[in-house]
Amino acid sequence: MPLAREAVELLVQAARAWYFEGNQHGLRDREWMALRFLGRANRFSRTPSALAGFIGATRATASQIVKTLEGKSFLVRKPSHEDKRSVVLHVTAQGEKCLSQHDPINHVLNAVTALGPDECVRLRDSLREILNHLDAAHQRLDASICRDCMFLAERGPGTGKGRATAEFMCRLYRAPVSLDETELLCTSFERTRDRPKIEEHLDRARVANQG
Ligand code: SF4
């Protein structure tokens, strides 16, 4: 127990990198959280309502944050391809640059990267395990990576005319998902613990892409 407490206290200290008073490089911590999320979210989750859910804010607060980020030219709204009545939020090149140069979590990211790949995998798996326990208590995760979602299916051969780049299908949205998109965050994610077939396919595809 003392060891567990010490580990949690260290986690809380690490969290000070992304929860802070005032602003850093012109953005408050929630504005950074929103920009960071939108930079990593898939097309289904880059909506004002998904953003509000992810940052734990009301629609009105999320809308104010979007306006602030638009005012700094970090975000633009575009009509959704799937539903013309909806808008999708896009991080601009300027927003991407701001994230890569000034995001307050970059220091933590660099420190974790310095641990090396094996330690990174252990840390990721331990944190995921912890979140799974919290997930059971709170019923849902805010968002997670598409490749681990129970709605992701492999596309059958010969389907999807004109969408040759899509290798997967989202069974929830009934829409194609490309290999790159499987690495993005989704707020509709549902965990599945036993999907060795797709994991193997993704691992093979990743290795082929690197080669
Ligand atoms: S498969 Fe799951 S995570 Fe991926 S887009 Fe569909 S709902 Fe989201």
mmCIF file of all heavy atoms in Angstrom, residues 42 44 144-146 149-152 169-173 177 186 188-190, ligand 1:
data_model
loop_
_atom_site.group_PDB
_atom_site.id
_atom_site.type_symbol
_atom_site.label_atom_id
_atom_site.label_comp_id
_atom_site.label_asym_id
_atom_site.label_seq_id
_atom_site.Cartn_x
_atom_site.Cartn_y
_atom_site.Cartn_z
ATOM 1 N N ASN A 42 -10.257 11.261 -34.187
ATOM 2 C CA ASN A 42 -10.690 10.903 -35.543
ATOM 3 C C ASN A 42 -11.855 11.796 -35.982
ATOM 4 O O ASN A 42 -12.355 12.616 -35.212
ATOM 5 C CB ASN A 42 -11.033 9.404 -35.643
ATOM 6 C CG ASN A 42 -12.263 9.020 -34.834
ATOM 7 O OD1 ASN A 42 -13.002 9.880 -34.375
ATOM 8 N ND2 ASN A 42 -12.477 7.729 -34.677
ATOM 9 N N PHE A 44 -14.939 11.333 -36.458
ATOM 10 C CA PHE A 44 -16.229 11.205 -35.767
ATOM 11 C C PHE A 44 -16.219 11.957 -34.427
ATOM 12 O O PHE A 44 -17.275 12.252 -33.876
ATOM 13 C CB PHE A 44 -16.548 9.730 -35.497
ATOM 14 C CG PHE A 44 -16.432 8.864 -36.715
ATOM 15 C CD1 PHE A 44 -15.431 7.909 -36.820
ATOM 16 C CD2 PHE A 44 -17.319 9.031 -37.780
ATOM 17 C CE1 PHE A 44 -15.312 7.122 -37.955
ATOM 18 C CE2 PHE A 44 -17.207 8.240 -38.923
ATOM 19 C CZ PHE A 44 -16.198 7.283 -39.009
ATOM 20 N N SER A 144 -10.528 6.539 -26.502
ATOM 21 C CA SER A 144 -9.359 5.674 -26.612
ATOM 22 C C SER A 144 -9.075 5.407 -28.080
ATOM 23 O O SER A 144 -9.793 5.888 -28.958
ATOM 24 C CB SER A 144 -9.565 4.381 -25.830
ATOM 25 O OG SER A 144 -8.299 3.801 -25.558
ATOM 26 N N ILE A 145 -8.022 4.617 -28.322
ATOM 27 C CA ILE A 145 -7.535 4.454 -29.694
ATOM 28 C C ILE A 145 -8.378 3.422 -30.450
ATOM 29 O O ILE A 145 -8.640 2.322 -29.961
ATOM 30 C CB ILE A 145 -6.047 4.069 -29.662
ATOM 31 C CG1 ILE A 145 -5.250 5.250 -29.100
ATOM 32 C CG2 ILE A 145 -5.543 3.714 -31.044
ATOM 33 C CD1 ILE A 145 -3.816 4.945 -28.842
ATOM 34 N N CYS A 146 -8.774 3.808 -31.646
ATOM 35 C CA CYS A 146 -9.716 3.040 -32.468
ATOM 36 C C CYS A 146 -9.315 1.578 -32.641
ATOM 37 O O CYS A 146 -10.175 0.699 -32.624
ATOM 38 C CB CYS A 146 -9.820 3.737 -33.814
ATOM 39 S SG CYS A 146 -10.916 2.964 -34.979
ATOM 40 N N CYS A 149 -10.972 -1.031 -30.472
ATOM 41 C CA CYS A 149 -12.424 -0.911 -30.274
ATOM 42 C C CYS A 149 -13.178 -2.135 -30.794
ATOM 43 O O CYS A 149 -12.838 -2.695 -31.838
ATOM 44 C CB CYS A 149 -12.921 0.339 -31.010
ATOM 45 S SG CYS A 149 -14.695 0.579 -30.918
ATOM 46 N N MET A 150 -14.223 -2.523 -30.087
ATOM 47 C CA MET A 150 -15.003 -3.695 -30.494
ATOM 48 C C MET A 150 -15.792 -3.460 -31.780
ATOM 49 O O MET A 150 -16.228 -4.413 -32.426
ATOM 50 C CB MET A 150 -15.969 -4.105 -29.375
ATOM 51 C CG MET A 150 -17.031 -3.090 -29.067
ATOM 52 S SD MET A 150 -18.138 -3.626 -27.752
ATOM 53 C CE MET A 150 -19.143 -4.795 -28.629
ATOM 54 N N PHE A 151 -15.989 -2.199 -32.194
ATOM 55 C CA PHE A 151 -16.751 -1.925 -33.419
ATOM 56 C C PHE A 151 -15.889 -1.976 -34.683
ATOM 57 O O PHE A 151 -16.401 -1.868 -35.785
ATOM 58 C CB PHE A 151 -17.411 -0.546 -33.338
ATOM 59 C CG PHE A 151 -18.443 -0.433 -32.252
ATOM 60 C CD1 PHE A 151 -18.327 0.518 -31.255
ATOM 61 C CD2 PHE A 151 -19.533 -1.291 -32.240
ATOM 62 C CE1 PHE A 151 -19.273 0.614 -30.255
ATOM 63 C CE2 PHE A 151 -20.493 -1.200 -31.240
ATOM 64 C CZ PHE A 151 -20.359 -0.244 -30.245
ATOM 65 N N LEU A 152 -14.569 -2.096 -34.516
ATOM 66 C CA LEU A 152 -13.689 -2.092 -35.691
ATOM 67 C C LEU A 152 -13.700 -3.475 -36.342
ATOM 68 O O LEU A 152 -13.481 -4.489 -35.677
ATOM 69 C CB LEU A 152 -12.260 -1.719 -35.275
ATOM 70 C CG LEU A 152 -11.294 -1.466 -36.427
ATOM 71 C CD1 LEU A 152 -11.694 -0.211 -37.211
ATOM 72 C CD2 LEU A 152 -9.861 -1.313 -35.913
ATOM 73 N N MET A 169 -13.574 -1.184 -41.223
ATOM 74 C CA MET A 169 -14.928 -0.620 -41.226
ATOM 75 C C MET A 169 -15.330 -0.366 -39.776
ATOM 76 O O MET A 169 -15.080 -1.210 -38.900
ATOM 77 C CB MET A 169 -15.852 -1.682 -41.840
ATOM 78 C CG MET A 169 -17.221 -1.192 -42.170
ATOM 79 S SD MET A 169 -17.151 -0.259 -43.703
ATOM 80 C CE MET A 169 -18.801 0.409 -43.715
ATOM 81 N N CYS A 170 -15.937 0.770 -39.514
ATOM 82 C CA CYS A 170 -16.511 1.005 -38.191
ATOM 83 C C CYS A 170 -17.956 0.530 -38.250
ATOM 84 O O CYS A 170 -18.759 1.056 -39.033
ATOM 85 C CB CYS A 170 -16.459 2.491 -37.834
ATOM 86 S SG CYS A 170 -17.439 2.835 -36.364
ATOM 87 N N ARG A 171 -18.291 -0.466 -37.422
ATOM 88 C CA ARG A 171 -19.642 -1.023 -37.463
ATOM 89 C C ARG A 171 -20.645 -0.130 -36.739
ATOM 90 O O ARG A 171 -21.841 -0.282 -36.884
ATOM 91 C CB ARG A 171 -19.646 -2.439 -36.862
ATOM 92 C CG ARG A 171 -18.978 -3.452 -37.800
ATOM 93 C CD ARG A 171 -18.891 -4.810 -37.182
ATOM 94 N NE ARG A 171 -18.006 -4.773 -36.023
ATOM 95 C CZ ARG A 171 -18.052 -5.652 -35.032
ATOM 96 N NH1 ARG A 171 -18.933 -6.598 -35.036
ATOM 97 N NH2 ARG A 171 -17.201 -5.553 -34.029
ATOM 98 N N LEU A 172 -20.128 0.805 -35.918
ATOM 99 C CA LEU A 172 -21.038 1.723 -35.233
ATOM 100 C C LEU A 172 -21.491 2.823 -36.193
ATOM 101 O O LEU A 172 -22.680 3.083 -36.353
ATOM 102 C CB LEU A 172 -20.340 2.346 -34.014
ATOM 103 C CG LEU A 172 -21.181 3.331 -33.221
ATOM 104 C CD1 LEU A 172 -22.323 2.610 -32.508
ATOM 105 C CD2 LEU A 172 -20.328 4.076 -32.181
ATOM 106 N N TYR A 173 -20.514 3.479 -36.856
ATOM 107 C CA TYR A 173 -20.845 4.574 -37.785
ATOM 108 C C TYR A 173 -21.121 4.082 -39.204
ATOM 109 O O TYR A 173 -21.467 4.873 -40.075
ATOM 110 C CB TYR A 173 -19.700 5.594 -37.808
ATOM 111 C CG TYR A 173 -19.575 6.387 -36.531
ATOM 112 C CD1 TYR A 173 -18.533 6.150 -35.639
ATOM 113 C CD2 TYR A 173 -20.501 7.372 -36.202
ATOM 114 C CE1 TYR A 173 -18.410 6.868 -34.458
ATOM 115 C CE2 TYR A 173 -20.391 8.094 -35.029
ATOM 116 C CZ TYR A 173 -19.351 7.837 -34.167
ATOM 117 O OH TYR A 173 -19.234 8.556 -32.997
ATOM 118 N N VAL A 177 -12.706 3.012 -42.323
ATOM 119 C CA VAL A 177 -11.654 3.552 -41.436
ATOM 120 C C VAL A 177 -10.314 3.135 -42.038
ATOM 121 O O VAL A 177 -10.096 1.949 -42.302
ATOM 122 C CB VAL A 177 -11.799 2.961 -40.008
ATOM 123 C CG1 VAL A 177 -10.638 3.392 -39.125
ATOM 124 C CG2 VAL A 177 -13.123 3.383 -39.387
ATOM 125 N N CYS A 186 -11.036 8.141 -30.322
ATOM 126 C CA CYS A 186 -12.471 8.201 -30.639
ATOM 127 C C CYS A 186 -13.252 8.215 -29.325
ATOM 128 O O CYS A 186 -12.987 7.415 -28.427
ATOM 129 C CB CYS A 186 -12.853 6.989 -31.472
ATOM 130 S SG CYS A 186 -14.593 6.980 -31.948
ATOM 131 N N SER A 188 -16.359 7.442 -29.109
ATOM 132 C CA SER A 188 -17.373 6.372 -29.123
ATOM 133 C C SER A 188 -16.751 5.006 -28.896
ATOM 134 O O SER A 188 -17.441 3.977 -29.030
ATOM 135 C CB SER A 188 -18.109 6.362 -30.467
ATOM 136 O OG SER A 188 -18.733 7.588 -30.689
ATOM 137 N N PHE A 189 -15.477 4.977 -28.604
ATOM 138 C CA PHE A 189 -14.729 3.742 -28.397
ATOM 139 C C PHE A 189 -15.405 2.824 -27.373
ATOM 140 O O PHE A 189 -15.893 3.265 -26.349
ATOM 141 C CB PHE A 189 -13.330 4.149 -27.889
ATOM 142 C CG PHE A 189 -12.498 3.012 -27.387
ATOM 143 C CD1 PHE A 189 -11.654 2.337 -28.231
ATOM 144 C CD2 PHE A 189 -12.574 2.618 -26.059
ATOM 145 C CE1 PHE A 189 -10.891 1.287 -27.762
ATOM 146 C CE2 PHE A 189 -11.819 1.572 -25.583
ATOM 147 C CZ PHE A 189 -10.980 0.904 -26.449
ATOM 148 N N GLU A 190 -15.422 1.517 -27.695
ATOM 149 C CA GLU A 190 -15.851 0.500 -26.719
ATOM 150 C C GLU A 190 -14.764 -0.560 -26.682
ATOM 151 O O GLU A 190 -14.364 -1.075 -27.728
ATOM 152 C CB GLU A 190 -17.170 -0.155 -27.144
ATOM 153 C CG GLU A 190 -18.379 0.735 -27.017
ATOM 154 C CD GLU A 190 -18.829 0.946 -25.580
ATOM 155 O OE1 GLU A 190 -18.437 0.158 -24.702
ATOM 156 O OE2 GLU A 190 -19.582 1.908 -25.349
HETATM 157 S S1 SF4 B 1 -14.434 1.466 -34.550
HETATM 158 FE FE1 SF4 B 1 -14.870 2.308 -32.490
HETATM 159 S S2 SF4 B 1 -13.185 3.710 -32.086
HETATM 160 FE FE2 SF4 B 1 -13.183 3.297 -34.299
HETATM 161 S S3 SF4 B 1 -14.424 4.931 -35.204
HETATM 162 FE FE3 SF4 B 1 -15.812 3.214 -34.775
HETATM 163 S S4 SF4 B 1 -16.644 3.626 -32.727
HETATM 164 FE FE4 SF4 B 1 -14.837 4.916 -32.973
#
